[in-house]
Amino acid sequence: QVQLAESGGGSAQAGGSLRLSCVGPGYTYSSDCMGWFRQAPGKEREGVAVIDSDGTTRYADSVKGRFTISRDNAKNTLYLQMNSLKPEDTATYYCAREQWGGCPPPAGYSPVDWTGWGQGTQVTVSS
């Protein structure tokens, strides 16, 4: 079981930017669907963005046009570029890989589809 590790979180002002990274030591996930998820205090975890092995991306409506998911297969690294941050983006962000061979959209998030959860990285956006 490969556990992924997220980094790059921190504090930002509304309108600012942050870039999150996700790595899995010893794990090559170029052929897998990968995703970013977030969980705000008192709320359930939700899907943010996914990227399929062919580079197809999909986003939650709440982040569309502001966030960009990408992957560098040579570095085995997944990224989430977050621009125009809003206070409601405040959450712990996680990455994971899809384990059944599909690539469900963020709106169809179900925890049973994803594996490799790390500790997450905290993002705090102030107004």
Side-chain angles (χ1 to χ4, degrees), residues 5-26:
E6 305 89 348
S7 63
S11 298
Q13 295 282 334
S17 298
L18 287 171
R19 188 176 81 157
L20 307 184
S21 299
C22 167
V23 296

Side-chain angles (χ1 to χ4, degrees), residues 36 38 46-50 58-69 80-86 88-89 93 106:
W36 283 100
R38 67 186 181 186
E46 63 177 1
V48 174
V50 301
R58 282 177 282 188
Y59 298 90
D61 287 344
S62 59
V63 307
K64 201 171 295 183
R66 300 188 298 121
F67 289 11
T68 302
I69 187 172
L80 184 68
Q81 178 66 44
M82 305 186 296
N83 299 328
S84 302
L85 284 164
K86 302 177 180 181
E88 51 263 43
D89 295 320
Y93 284 72

Side-chain angles (χ1 to χ4, degrees), residues 52-115:
D52 208 342
S53 57
D54 65 357
T56 300
T57 58
R58 282 177 282 188
Y59 298 90
D61 287 344
S62 59
V63 307
K64 201 171 295 183
R66 300 188 298 121
F67 289 11
T68 302
I69 187 172
S70 63
R71 65 202 301 169
D72 185 332
N73 291 333
K75 296 182 179 179
N76 285 334
T77 303
L78 180 73
Y79 301 101
L80 184 68
Q81 178 66 44
M82 305 186 296
N83 299 328
S84 302
L85 284 164
K86 302 177 180 181
E88 51 263 43
D89 295 320
T90 295
T92 301
Y93 284 72
Y94 303 87
C95 62
R97 68 175 183 88
E98 202 280 340
Q99 62 178 338
W100 307 120
C103 200
Y109 166 70
S110 174
V112 299
D113 292 333
W114 302 88
T115 188

